[in-house]
Amino acid sequence: SKNRVKGLEATKANILAARSISNILRTSLGPKGMDKLLVSPDGDVTITNDGATILSQMEINQQVARLMVELSSSQDDEIG
């Protein structure tokens, strides 16, 4: 069974998740942004510097991090 985290511990976990995602995407942003090489479990390779693509390919279990991925996806759908 899952243990539900509450209070300060939950806040810390959410901040850590957001920081982890920002650290992954940071190097792909801006005019000097680097490409990321993503390998899926079945061996498919994707090379991209698009944040929405990077996030959509990741397996994320943390709720706030998953919410960030969904927000990124909906923004990409709206704006392109």
Side-chain angles (χ1 to χ4, degrees), residues 26-71:
R26 180 174 288 137
T27 57
S28 68
L29 300 175
K32 295 183 180 180
M34 295 185 286
D35 289 345
K36 302 281 186 196
L37 181 101
L38 310 171
V39 181
S40 69
D42 59 353
D44 289 339
V45 175
T46 305
I47 299 174
T48 184
N49 67 356
D50 177 49
T53 303
I54 294 167
L55 291 176
S56 69
Q57 298 290 322
M58 294 173 59
E59 291 180 15
I60 298 176
N61 298 323
Q62 212 277 347
Q63 291 295 325
V64 169
R66 196 173 307 140
L67 179 62
M68 292 174 69
V69 171
E70 290 174 19
L71 288 170

